[in-house]
Every structure is written in structure tokens, then in C-alpha cells.
Amino acid sequence: MKHDGTYFICKPFFLMVFVLVGGWLIFPPTTLAQPFYKGAKLCEECHEAEAKIWEKTKHFTSFRTVHREPKDDSKPSPKKILAAVGGQKRMKRNETCYLCHYTLEQKDAGSKPAAKSGTSCESCHGASSDWLEIHDNYGGKTIKRDQEAADHKAKRIADSTAAGLIWPSMQYEVAENCMTCHGLAHPDLKADDLAKMLGAGHPINPDFELVKYSQGSVRHRYYPPDIKTNAEMAPKDLAQIFVIGQAAALVSATGAMSKSDEAKYKEAQNKRAENAKAVLKNIPEAADLLASPSRENALKLSKAIDGKDLTSIVGSKLPAKSDYK
């Protein structure tokens, strides 16, 4: 989750570099492995309250339900979609399905990935193999003074971020991870498979909106000074992530439009882009992004609006709490 924002497939690979120096052939053994998922259980050890919320979401429960055939014929049939895309006949092993529906966990870089849960912590916050140990290092008894603790915390945050951890404060990066799957825009989804999936009834929701889907059942905001309360966002903060979500949707849809010529797919991506433009045209800081919908310009927008109150511009467009998912 990227990162271009997405760590969904974790296949280790190895590179041997051969260098000829002064007539000697040197073989420095360099192992380059992509980050991999270590699993939500390791997150639960410290983030117990967040884990309990996750266990009540569709992200969690879908692990046992998404592959089942619906009783209602109007709903998509997993069997039909699997048959259309081909490959493994079990969703948990099908390389098209597990990109978004499951978390493939590994004990170490050399072990075989296996689907152990649905969409989980690392799906949003990045595969943890490179950052978990850094993130868990609070210094212990070696830190004796307040300044040492502050310095250690700053370094822990900086180092774990550099290693791939996506913190909740990194709102654009979190948003683009959501758009990867909710916009059917995963970079590893093949164009042919997209057409087959949609033809077999796989849904696509061009109206996916970040506030509606992030502040409902999946909300887990336990921050000081009250770390026991799952805090709701203030209107000012909701307005900010609403705009950031539109920026992420525009970049995602623009990149996905050329992915497939399938009519339903292109129509949905065009609607995602138009929905986003309708909001962003009212945001002065979004001018560069609208002119060139790139990740770089979206990050610039995110930084430019940080701390600003945009409720006078987009407050009326925010979803009602009753519509939260």
C-alpha cells in the first residue's frame, strides 16, 4: 500500500551484482526483497482498541463471507467472476482476487505468502516487514531524560516512515491506498481481467468518498489527551480529508482511465474524475492538480491546505453521519 501506495504482492527477488575491479571478478551477495505483510496479530499487541473495531468491519468479516455465493441473484456471484478471470478457483489463492480482498502474510522473506485475513492494518498503513521493529522501539530504560525521549520519538517516527509506515497523519497516502481497491485501480490488476470481472458482474463504485467510508465503522482514532475515546473528527478536519479524498480519487481515476478499454470501466473512472473535479475547482490550492492530476501535485495540495478551514467551501458537500458506512 506503494509504495506507490500499495504493497499487495510480496514476491522476494534476488540480485547478484558482478563487478570487475582490477582484473578481479567480485560477487557481492546483495539480497533485495520487497516489503511483506507480517499480519494484524502483531499490531493487536499494542493497538487492542483499534483491532476490536477492525474485527467488526467488513474488511475483517469479508474474509469468511466474500467468497460465498449470495442467496440474492441480483448480487455478484464469486464463482462467475472467478470463472471469468481464470486461474486459481479459490479466491484466497487467485492472484486477481487477493490483490484487494485479502492480506497475504509471511513469517519471513523466504516463506510462502498465505491469505490470513481480509483487508487489514497493513493494507492501509503499509507492509510492515521493514518498519515494524523500528516502530516498536520505544527506547525502554535507556532513555532517562525528557529531551532524550523526544529525540528518540522523532527518530522513530522518521525512520519508520522512511521504511514504509504510513501514519494516520499522512492523509493523502492513506487516501490513495483506499482508492487503489475501491476504485478498481490497483496497478497489478490486468486490463483483460478488469473487463472479464466487470462482465461477470463485479461491482465498481465510482461514488466512493473518503469521509463517508473512513468515519463510519472503520473509524479508529485513539489520540491524546483521551486515548480511550474513539474521537470523531471536527468539521474543519472532515472538510480537509474530504478534499484530500477527492484529490486521491482524481489521480487514481486519471491513471486508471487508460488501463482498460472496457466501456463500463472507462465510464466509472470518468465519473470518479468528474466528481473530484466538481469539488476541487472550488479550491484555489488545487489549480496545479486540476491542470496536471499527478501524485506530486496532489501531495502539494495536501500540504497547502493543512490546517486550513475549508468548511465554508465544502461543508455543504460533506456526507451526513447517517450516511457513514
Side-chain angles (χ1 to χ4, degrees):
M1 224 142 121
K2 270 146 205 250
H3 212 259
D4 59 6
T6 47
Y7 294 133
F8 287 94
I9 295 184
C10 310
K11 298 178 180 176
F13 61 94
F14 305 93
L15 175 66
M16 181 67 75
V17 181
F18 303 92
V19 184
L20 186 62
V21 180
W24 291 90
L25 190 60
I26 301 173
F27 302 88
T30 304
T31 302
L32 302 174
Q34 291 185 20
F36 56 87
Y37 292 122
K38 301 198 76 170
K41 287 189 179 298
L42 296 176
C43 302
E44 292 173 22
E45 292 176 6
C46 295
H47 298 282
E48 185 178 357
E50 291 88 341
K52 286 181 179 178
I53 286 178
W54 173 57
E55 289 171 359
K56 295 178 181 179
T57 67
K58 288 184 179 180
H59 282 167
F60 179 88
T61 59
S62 66
F63 183 73
R64 299 187 182 278
T65 60
V66 72
H67 57 281
R68 295 176 183 171
E69 286 297 296
K71 295 179 180 179
D72 184 349
D73 291 339
S74 67
K75 295 182 178 179
S77 162
K79 285 185 179 179
K80 286 180 64 176
I81 296 169
L82 275 168
V85 298
Q88 288 283 347
K89 295 182 180 180
R90 292 185 60 191
M91 282 187 65
K92 292 174 184 176
R93 295 182 180 177
N94 188 287
E95 64 178 4
T96 299
C97 302
Y98 65 53
L99 289 173
C100 287
H101 287 292
Y102 303 107
T103 299
L104 298 185
E105 297 179 18
Q106 293 176 251
K107 290 183 179 180
D108 52 54
S111 60
K112 185 177 180 180
K116 297 293 186 180
S117 71
T119 304
S120 67
C121 316
E122 293 166 276
S123 302
C124 297
H125 297 291
S128 69
S129 61
D130 288 352
W131 57 255
L132 186 61
E133 185 175 346
I134 303 169
H135 177 58
D136 287 349
N137 178 12
Y138 284 81
K141 295 180 181 180
T142 62
I143 294 179
K144 302 183 184 300
R145 292 186 294 273
D146 289 346
Q147 187 56 52
E148 286 181 338
D151 291 344
H152 180 84
K153 180 179 180 180
K155 187 176 188 308
R156 183 176 70 88
I157 291 173
D159 289 351
S160 57
T161 302
L165 171 57
I166 301 173
W167 296 84
S169 58
M170 300 166 66
Q171 293 176 335
Y172 180 78
E173 288 86 340
V174 172
E176 69 179 344
N177 264 354
C178 298
M179 301 301 163
T180 297
C181 286
H182 285 284
L184 271 189
H186 195 288
D188 291 323
L189 271 175
K190 300 172 184 175
D192 287 347
D193 286 343
L194 278 168
K196 293 171 183 175
M197 289 162 58
L198 293 170
H202 192 290
I204 182 170
N205 177 15
D207 296 315
F208 176 88
E209 188 278 309
L210 190 61
V211 172
K212 181 186 292 187
Y213 284 84
S214 69
Q215 301 306 302
S217 61
V218 305
R219 191 183 80 242
H220 48 284
R221 304 184 70 250
Y222 295 91
Y223 302 129
D226 185 0
I227 60 173
K228 294 185 178 181
T229 297
N230 186 10
E232 294 186 8
M233 276 191 169
K236 173 183 172 182
D237 299 318
L238 290 173
Q240 181 168 302
I241 69 162
F242 178 78
V243 171
I244 289 173
Q246 299 298 335
L250 177 59
V251 173
S252 171
T254 302
M257 259 181 226
S258 61
K259 193 175 184 72
S260 172
D261 290 328
E262 205 279 333
K264 185 177 180 181
Y265 185 75
K266 291 185 78 69
E267 180 183 358
Q269 297 304 340
N270 185 64
K271 186 175 182 183
R272 292 178 70 211
E274 292 305 313
N275 287 347
K277 289 176 183 177
V279 172
L280 295 172
K281 69 181 183 180
N282 299 309
I283 310 297
E285 296 86 350
D288 288 347
L289 176 62
L290 287 167
S292 177
S294 66
R295 185 175 192 267
E296 179 183 7
N297 282 334
L299 286 167
K300 282 171 57 180
L301 166 64
S302 180
K303 184 177 181 179
I305 65 173
D306 186 33
K308 292 187 176 182
D309 188 348
L310 303 173
T311 52
S312 63
I313 302 175
V314 301
S316 63
K317 298 181 183 295
L318 296 178
K321 286 184 182 180
S322 58
D323 291 330
Y324 287 177
K325 299 296 185 179

